Each structure stands twice: as C-alpha cells, then as structure tokens.
Amino acid sequence: MAEKQSAIGYIGTYTNGESKGIYSFQLDRVHQKLTILDAAAHAGKPTYLTISDNNRYLYSVVQEDGNGGAAAYSIGSNGALAPINKQLLEGAAPCHISVDSSNQQLVTANYHKGTVESYLIEKDSGAIQPAVSVVEQNGSGPHERQEKPHVHFSGFTPDEKYVIVVDLGSDTVKTYQSNNGKLVEASCFNTKPGAGPRHIVFHPNGKFAYVMTELSSEVIVLAYNQQNGSFHEIQTIATIPADFTENNQGSAIHISADGRFIYAGNRGHNSIALFAVDEPEGKLSFVERYSTEGDWPRDFCLDPTENYMVASNQNSSSLTLFSRNLDTGKLELLQKDVEVPNPVCVKFLQD
C-alpha cells in the first residue's frame, strides 16, 4: 500500500504560559516538513495524550478549577477535536494517560498525588465513566525529589493482562491486575535506590521491558514474566556521556515496532540516545546520540511509517523533525524551531 503523503498529530502542552491547550500539526512527507495547524482543543494543562487504536477518540489529562482528571474528545475526519466529557478528581492533574486497545479502560498516573486511577469507557460514545479505582502508592527514596510517591506512568502490558505503574518517588515498577477496572497489586519490582524510574516500554515479543530513569539517566532492561507479571533486571545502561556532569533528567522512552531499536530522551543534555536491541537476550548496545536542537526534550514520537520522528522541546517551545533510517535506526535532522508553546507529549493518528 502506498505511503500517505501526510499525517496528522497532536501536541499536549503546559498551559501556564501562552499555550491554549492541545495543538494539532501536519507532517508533510513529500516536502518533509511540519506545520502547526491550530489549537485543536482549549484545555487546562493537557500535558499528556493518548489516542484510541481506531483513531476515533483522543484522551487527555486535564486540570480545571483546582481539580484534575481525564478528558475525552472525538476525532473528526479532518483531525478536528470535539469534546465528549471529562472526569475530575480533587487536586492536581495527572501527568500520564493510557487507553487499552479495545477502548474499554483508561488509566492515569498522578505525579503530585502519588496515585494511579482507573476508568471504564462507554462503548458507544467513548465517554469516560467515573473512576472505578484510585490506588495510593507508598514509599520514598534517597533523592531529594523522592520524599513521597510520584507516579509518572500507568499503562498496559502487551497482552493487556496487567496494568503497569512506574513510581519515580519510591523506585518501583508495580504490576496490577484489573478486574472490571478495579486494580489489585500482583507484583513489585524495585530499582536501585535513587534511580527514579519514569516511563516503561515493552518489546513487541512481550518478553522484555525497558524502563527510563529520570534521576539516574539510565535505561533498565527487564525480563518480563507474562504469567505472573513480575520483572527481573538484565542490564542497566547510561543514556548520557560519562563526562556529562551538568543537570540531566531522563524523559521519554520509545521502541521501534520491529523491536530492534530503543530511543531515550535526555533533558539537560538535550539529546535522544539510540540503542540497538539484541533480540535473543533483550540487552542494549549504545549507537549514537542526537541533539534535539532545543531545550528540555520532554517527549518524542515516531510517525506511523517510522520513517520520521518528532521531538518536543518544552523550554524552548519548539518541535524538531528528524528522518529515520529503518535499517540502522539512525536519525537525520530535517527541521527545527517549529514553534508551539511549552510542548510535552506528541502523538500521531495512525495512517
């Protein structure tokens, strides 16, 4: 099937500056160029987004009148967003949101409150129902930012048998069973103290997972037991050069669809590190780092063809476009300084 000439994407942002909410953009694959289209939805602090597998719905974290939660939007044929509903809880907004492949369950991670929330979704409308489960985490770590739990990720295992919760504050990766949206802890993996785990991605084969640490700037390679949801460590590898001594905070981590390459973001070093995956063992070997041509790369995303990558630089309010070699995983700069206010999360509609 011929590659589409363009793709539509969305950007979640911080709205404590000039941003109005969620922005949409277009990737022109013919001219290899990004264009910001519009503020697709006005919302408070919609920093992280997720899109249903069928491209019908976009879900966002949201802050409104001192309450935080999740908002649902329908996606029109031209990529326009129309609000469906929102569910709010008292206190700060979540920082991460995931939806399962059947668009039946939504989970959010709340950094400030140290909680994970689970919601069910109405089948016909895509609307979010009130929270079924709110689970408070516990514990702390040795770093000054680990005075209490700070949940930074919640998402589903590849077989969607479990929900995974990554807690920067307590140095834990927890596995939960979900029974009609109600979360029950099944397993807990502890990183080394002070690592500050932030995000996790699974290998397509379901046997391995890769955790990005924010505080120690490393990728932890884990073997995953699909039967009981437990993890054990295989390898830890740095994402920044050994001689880089300035402030760095690990950000996003993503894996190519073929499972051959891992990409890890560095805020401070302002780079994306590329690693090659050894398929039989899951271990990583460092390949190269690429400047994001901006300040504080919060996230990045491969387009549906995986021939392109878009990175978001939060503090310089810019996007950067790279081309990507499918065989080597390597990136090449195409465009920088694409202006959008305080971008965080980047997501594409599927082709």
Side-chain angles (χ1 to χ4, degrees):
M1 189 168 65
E3 179 183 298
K4 285 189 177 181
Q5 293 187 342
S6 65
I8 296 290
Y10 300 92
I11 308 152
T13 69
Y14 274 108
T15 52
N16 49 359
E18 297 179 2
S19 174
K20 298 175 182 177
I22 301 170
Y23 288 77
S24 59
F25 68 91
Q26 183 178 52
L27 167 61
D28 181 338
R29 294 176 177 133
V30 176
H31 299 98
Q32 298 188 318
K33 183 180 179 183
L34 289 179
T35 303
I36 304 300
L37 298 178
D38 200 3
H42 289 218
K45 218 172 181 180
T47 54
Y48 214 87
L49 320 170
T50 189
I51 297 172
S52 64
D53 278 8
N54 61 12
N55 274 356
R56 291 181 61 191
Y57 305 107
L58 180 145
Y59 297 97
S60 167
V61 302
V62 67
Q63 181 92 46
E64 189 174 288
D65 299 327
N67 297 317
Y73 300 87
S74 63
I75 302 172
S77 57
N78 60 351
L81 299 180
I84 298 174
N85 80 324
K86 58 180 74 111
Q87 294 290 348
L88 300 173
L89 298 168
E90 185 178 350
C95 65
H96 191 275
I97 188 167
S98 300
V99 65
D100 69 354
S101 63
S102 59
N103 209 57
Q104 294 180 325
Q105 185 181 1
L106 193 74
V107 289
T108 58
N110 199 302
Y111 179 91
H112 295 285
K113 293 161 64 174
T115 56
V116 55
E117 299 84 19
S118 172
Y119 304 84
L120 297 180
I121 298 172
E122 294 179 8
K123 183 177 180 181
D124 296 329
S125 68
I128 309 166
Q129 297 179 8
V132 176
S133 202
V134 178
V135 182
E136 291 187 12
Q137 304 299 301
N138 52 59
S140 60
H143 192 277
E144 62 183 4
R145 288 181 51 205
Q146 294 180 307
E147 79 291 356
K148 65 176 185 177
H150 290 301
V151 182
H152 224 310
F153 172 97
S154 57
F156 300 89
T157 56
D159 59 7
E160 299 188 339
K161 184 178 174 182
Y162 296 106
V163 170
I164 302 298
V165 175
V166 182
D167 184 355
L168 180 149
S170 66
D171 288 322
T172 58
V173 179
K174 289 187 177 180
T175 305
Y176 287 84
Q177 287 182 316
S178 178
N179 183 9
N180 292 322
K182 296 199 174 191
L183 303 179
V184 179
E185 186 175 334
S187 182
C188 178
F189 171 80
N190 293 279
T191 71
K192 69 180 181 183
R198 177 185 172 94
H199 281 192
I200 187 171
V201 292
F202 281 84
H203 194 281
N205 67 16
K207 297 177 182 178
F208 308 109
Y210 302 88
V211 175
M212 182 71 193
T213 68
E214 179 168 330
L215 303 181
S216 65
S217 301
E218 295 169 318
V219 177
I220 306 171
V221 182
L222 301 175
Y224 174 60
N225 185 322
Q226 300 175 48
Q227 301 309 117
N228 61 20
S230 66
F231 297 95
H232 76 262
E233 186 172 335
I234 298 172
Q235 178 195 21
T236 298
I237 188 168
T239 64
I240 54 174
D243 60 357
F244 186 79
T245 57
E246 299 171 43
N247 175 45
N248 188 77
Q249 296 177 25
S251 60
I253 185 167
H254 296 289
I255 188 168
S256 57
D258 60 12
R260 296 174 57 209
F261 302 103
I262 287 278
Y263 298 87
N266 293 305
R267 295 172 296 173
H269 191 256
N270 294 338
S271 65
I272 294 172
L274 166 63
F275 300 91
V277 179
D278 174 20
E279 176 86 30
E281 297 184 8
K283 290 184 177 180
L284 302 182
S285 56
F286 172 72
V287 178
E288 209 162 11
R289 290 183 193 88
Y290 305 92
S291 170
T292 61
E293 305 292 334
D295 186 25
W296 218 245
R298 188 69 179 243
D299 203 355
F300 52 91
C301 185
L302 294 171
D303 86 312
T305 68
E306 301 203 337
N307 287 309
Y308 300 94
M309 178 186 285
V310 177
S312 60
N313 295 297
Q314 180 186 334
N315 290 351
S316 55
S317 291
S318 64
L319 302 183
T320 303
L321 175 65
F322 299 92
S323 62
R324 175 177 177 268
N325 186 304
L326 296 177
D327 294 325
T328 65
K330 293 185 177 182
L331 306 178
E332 184 175 334
L333 178 65
L334 291 175
Q335 186 183 10
K336 61 180 180 178
D337 302 327
V338 181
E339 294 183 10
V340 64
N342 305 118
V344 178
C345 174
V346 184
K347 295 290 184 186
F348 276 95
L349 289 178
Q350 293 305 308
D351 283 355

